[in-house]
Amino acid sequence: MLFDAHCHLDFAAFDADREAVFSRAHAAGVRRFMVPGTTRARWPSVSALAARDDVSVGLGLHPYFIDDHRDEDLDALEEALTQRGEVVAIGECGIDARFPQTLPRQWQLFEAQLQLAKQHRLPLVIHCVHANDQVAKRLRQLALPAGGLIHAFAGSAQQAQRFVDLGYHLGLGGAATHARAQRLQRVIAGLPDDAFVLETDSPDMPPAGHPGQRNEPANLTEVLTRVAALRRRPKAEVAAQTYANTCRLFAC
Ligand SMILES: [Zn+2]
């Protein structure tokens, strides 16, 4: 049994066949799904998915969609966290240094969401691209109560260790399956059993063998196969560990 710890099943890319996507996932053994929110406009669609027994949700403001966010969205986020019992995490939020011109604004929104995580004692879903050292530094200063997920981790062994020492989980997905990801594959081989979860980031980041295609949670089995091989452990063992890790991380 697998838990897809990060998938955007609310996105329009799934509007035409969402039920079939869930069915294929279930048939592949992917039984639970964590769907994070990306923009205020999308939160209602994310929250609607929480009506399903197999979906847990987060709400947040994603740095990639920086132009969509307004200051009042932070007030709306706080209100939503207070009112909606189904929200298990704050995110997707974070820093994407591929867009240097918006970094000050990204940090402003991220910082506000870090403070909400502290107040509400919720875990974070963190998107962190070319900013692992800066984000780890801030997380160390804050010592947040519920930790979080470093989604699509792609850093060095030292950066991985730093996040793990701070109590964060690393999200492993399609990137692990690509032949060129040798540094990441060495990191994966050496992680503690309780330090990582499996995720697809659907509809993005398809595993090797699906270039340019829409990714979907059924493909999580390919991530499992690669991660188990890298760690020289049986797939069933890695599946059970990562399922338990995801439940513990999101307390769901
Ligand atoms: Zn994402």
Side-chain angles (χ1 to χ4, degrees):
M1 219 157 61
L2 290 169
F3 196 143
D4 189 342
H6 189 106
C7 47
H8 296 283
L9 297 178
D10 61 302
F11 279 13
F14 296 108
D15 282 352
D17 63 344
R18 189 168 284 106
E19 282 309 313
V21 168
F22 276 114
S23 297
R24 281 195 292 273
H26 279 264
V30 185
R31 297 292 165 78
R32 294 189 64 188
F33 313 87
M34 167 59 182
V35 179
T38 50
T39 64
R40 184 181 177 183
R42 295 224 57 81
W43 295 345
S45 308
V46 171
S47 289
L49 284 172
R52 294 181 57 109
D53 286 347
D54 51 358
V55 173
S56 299
V57 301
L59 295 182
L61 301 170
H62 190 304
Y64 187 82
F65 305 102
I66 197 79
D67 293 336
D68 293 351
H69 308 320
R70 302 286 168 265
D71 285 339
E72 55 266 32
D73 295 351
L74 291 166
D75 299 327
L77 179 56
E78 168 138 46
E79 202 180 308
L81 294 172
T82 307
Q83 288 175 353
R84 298 185 201 169
E86 77 270 15
V87 178
V88 301
I90 296 179
E92 183 169 355
C93 58
I95 300 296
D96 193 325
R98 290 174 300 178
F99 308 103
Q101 67 284 5
T102 64
L103 276 174
R105 176 68 171 156
Q106 289 186 46
W107 273 104
Q108 187 188 19
L109 292 169
F110 185 40
E111 182 65 30
Q113 292 174 90
L114 292 172
Q115 297 301 335
L116 285 174
K118 188 166 202 166
Q119 273 170 40
H120 292 265
R121 306 187 71 80
L122 283 170
L124 288 153
V125 176
I126 299 178
H127 170 105
C128 185
V129 177
H130 301 322
N132 285 321
D133 294 336
Q134 296 88 335
V135 167
K137 183 177 169 198
R138 189 67 189 119
L139 294 177
R140 180 182 297 113
Q141 291 166 342
L142 285 166
L144 298 172
L149 170 65
I150 308 299
H151 147 66
F153 179 77
S156 67
Q158 191 191 21
Q159 289 167 335
Q161 188 62 49
R162 210 178 289 147
F163 284 126
V164 172
D165 288 346
L166 290 167
Y168 287 76
H169 289 71
L170 305 182
L172 307 180
T177 65
H178 292 280
R180 64 180 181 273
Q182 289 174 4
R183 181 179 76 165
L184 177 61
Q185 289 166 353
R186 284 193 297 275
V187 171
I188 291 169
L191 288 174
D193 289 339
D194 60 358
F196 63 95
V197 301
L198 304 182
E199 55 169 46
T200 59
D201 200 20
S202 299
D204 300 321
M205 298 184 76
H210 305 266
Q213 290 174 22
R214 181 188 72 172
N215 197 8
E216 64 174 66
N219 293 335
L220 195 62
T221 55
E222 297 175 37
V223 178
L224 171 68
T225 298
R226 192 75 185 112
V227 169
L230 288 166
R231 296 175 63 77
R232 302 175 191 276
R233 303 305 307 168
K235 285 201 278 185
E237 183 185 306
V238 176
Q241 278 166 354
T242 52
Y243 192 98
N245 291 347
T246 312
C247 295
R248 193 179 59 246
L249 165 60
F250 294 122
C252 66

